[in-house]
Amino acid sequence: MSEPTTTATEPVLSPLHDEHVALGATMTPFAGWMMPLRYAGDLAEHQAVRTAAGLFDLSHMGELHVDGPQAGVGLDRALVGNISGLAIGRARYTMIVQEDGGIVDDLIVYRLGDASYLVVANASNVDVVRDALAERLAPFDASLTDRSLETALVAVQGPLAAEIVTGLTDPAQVEAVRDVKYYAAVPATVAGVEALVARTGYTGEDGFELFVPAAAAPGLWQSLLAAGRPLGLVPAGLSARDSLRLEAGMPLYGNELDRTTAPHDAGLGRVVRLDKVDADGNPLPFVGREALAARAHSAPSRVLVGLVGTGRRAARHGYEVVAGTDPDAATVGRVTSGAPSPTLGTPIAMAYVTPEVSAVGTELAVDVRGRREPVRVVALPFYRRS
């Protein structure tokens, strides 16, 4: 078992820190790391990802490797999803929850081999996820290794991502990388670096996330920039990543997801597999199963919805949602994420509201610093690539 990775008093520096500084990035502390907030500007970086490609440093994410004969069944009991049922080379979005169903973190799990899995956790939750997995896997013949500091994660996102990445891929592996399915991964050599190349992302665009040894990250970063710049690729920071994921209706831990929220509250009940069975066909218990089974058959107390503003002032995290623009209108919810949408040209937000006002088309308002700004409930996501 590795020691905690994010408990130092000073922020951890990414393996690409010097690259960001050389590019003039605005750096900011984030989840125990020092990460790039922006380079040339939020709008330019956002639009580059929508029209060409953006290059992201995601090395703050956690990489937890679970290996052993019982790795799959152990993860089945630790997480809400059916992990042992994954085919080798495929990935699954899942969650780790408390006994009461509250979300500890949302995760992506990759199956790397017969008895080998990679669990990717959010940067702010790496320590707590690692510790919870260690406890839950203890009865099983499986080992847990935290390789977060040994691993760098670089993402190329956008409609030209495949062209850029395959252009640097070993010729014998180009077809495998080009054809890898969404939520799948293949090992490949990219710009001379051995990488796990995953077709995953957090922007709503096509793209790849490349897991590489930390020491090899600067060379890979430089090669991707050099190859992609003629096609419109730009380095992109946390700010653009947040506006892109908001347009794509993707939840953020700490905003849409937290320990007071069950997967069903966020419209993510589909990731909970209550039908998991053991080798004998018996229902497979997992942490939080009873609470989530009850939740699946009960009426929701709140619903996550999309809101589009008709004015120019954007709602932000924590703002109250009210039943209308009348000063006496009752509070019916709270915004979890909000910002102007560069792609749509209107303010957008996600919010939890009471069920009776959650229907698409419902007219509501958000209290933006004392002013009731009209909004309309819309279906998520706000943006979907063609």
Side-chain angles (χ1 to χ4, degrees):
M1 178 58 116
S2 302
E3 292 299 316
T5 59
T6 59
T7 55
T9 56
E10 293 296 322
V12 179
L13 300 185
S14 161
L16 294 167
H17 181 81
D18 291 344
E19 302 299 321
H20 304 318
V21 172
L23 290 166
T26 299
M27 305 299 292
T28 187
F30 180 78
W33 291 70
M34 185 63 69
M35 298 300 295
L37 182 64
R38 64 178 61 85
Y39 300 84
D42 301 345
L43 182 59
E45 294 165 25
H46 182 110
Q47 291 177 332
V49 176
R50 290 282 180 249
T51 59
L55 181 63
F56 296 85
D57 178 10
L58 309 180
S59 299
H60 57 302
M61 301 294 281
E63 289 84 20
L64 307 172
H65 288 256
V66 181
D67 303 283
Q70 293 186 303
V73 67
L75 288 170
D76 281 343
R77 291 182 180 266
L79 309 178
V80 303
N82 179 9
I83 307 304
S84 63
L86 269 175
I88 295 173
R90 298 308 300 263
R92 179 156 293 155
Y93 177 73
T94 187
M95 296 178 181
I96 183 169
V97 303
Q98 305 171 142
E99 285 287 1
D100 66 0
I103 301 169
V104 175
D105 200 15
D106 60 333
L107 313 164
I108 296 180
V109 179
Y110 299 84
R111 187 169 189 175
L112 306 181
D114 283 334
S116 181
Y117 298 81
L118 168 61
V119 179
V120 179
N122 286 297
S124 59
N125 292 326
V126 175
D127 294 348
V128 68
V129 170
R130 185 195 57 243
D131 293 347
L133 282 179
E135 180 181 350
R136 297 179 189 190
L137 291 171
F140 300 93
D141 186 3
S143 64
L144 173 64
T145 308
D146 185 347
R147 296 180 187 163
S148 301
L149 293 183
E150 305 168 27
T151 307
L153 180 55
V154 176
V156 183
Q157 298 284 301
L160 300 184
E163 182 176 348
I164 294 166
V165 173
T166 58
L168 293 172
T169 300
D170 183 303
Q173 299 168 321
V174 166
E175 185 176 357
V177 171
R178 185 187 62 232
D179 296 343
V180 66
K181 297 180 183 298
Y182 187 51
Y183 265 69
V186 294
T189 302
V190 182
V193 176
E194 296 295 323
L196 177 68
V197 182
R199 204 160 207 151
T200 47
Y202 197 50
T203 64
E205 298 295 340
D206 187 22
F208 298 87
E209 295 179 329
L210 290 80
F211 298 85
V212 299
L220 175 63
W221 178 272
Q222 293 165 8
S223 296
L224 287 166
L225 270 182
R229 271 179 170 146
L231 298 175
L233 174 141
V234 303
L238 292 174
S239 185
R241 190 167 182 252
D242 191 54
S243 59
L244 290 159
R245 72 92 193 166
L246 175 57
E247 287 186 346
M250 295 178 171
L252 174 65
Y253 195 89
N255 289 40
E256 286 73 40
L257 310 176
D258 58 29
R259 289 173 178 263
T260 70
T261 305
H264 299 82
D265 297 328
L268 295 170
R270 65 184 181 277
V271 309
V272 179
R273 292 297 302 269
L274 297 173
D275 59 347
K276 288 191 285 187
V277 295
D278 62 20
D280 298 321
N282 301 311
L284 183 72
F286 58 89
V287 177
R289 187 188 189 283
E290 291 186 11
L292 293 177
R295 177 64 183 79
H297 298 98
S298 63
S301 60
R302 56 179 182 158
V303 179
L304 184 66
V305 300
L307 302 174
V308 170
T310 58
R312 299 183 63 182
R313 291 161 53 121
R316 301 291 183 177
H317 173 77
Y319 287 8
E320 288 186 348
V321 182
V322 293
T325 56
D326 187 276
D328 298 324
T331 298
V332 294
R334 192 168 296 276
V335 172
T336 53
S337 298
S341 166
T343 303
L344 304 179
T346 58
I348 59 173
M350 289 193 283
Y352 281 107
V353 299
T354 54
E356 62 270 17
V357 299
S358 64
V360 170
T362 303
E363 302 289 339
L364 300 171
V366 175
D367 188 333
V368 180
R369 297 187 297 276
R371 180 173 173 178
R372 302 295 175 93
E373 293 289 340
V375 295
R376 184 179 68 259
V377 177
V378 299
L380 292 170
F382 304 99
Y383 166 85
R384 193 187 303 274
R385 74 176 186 268
S386 59

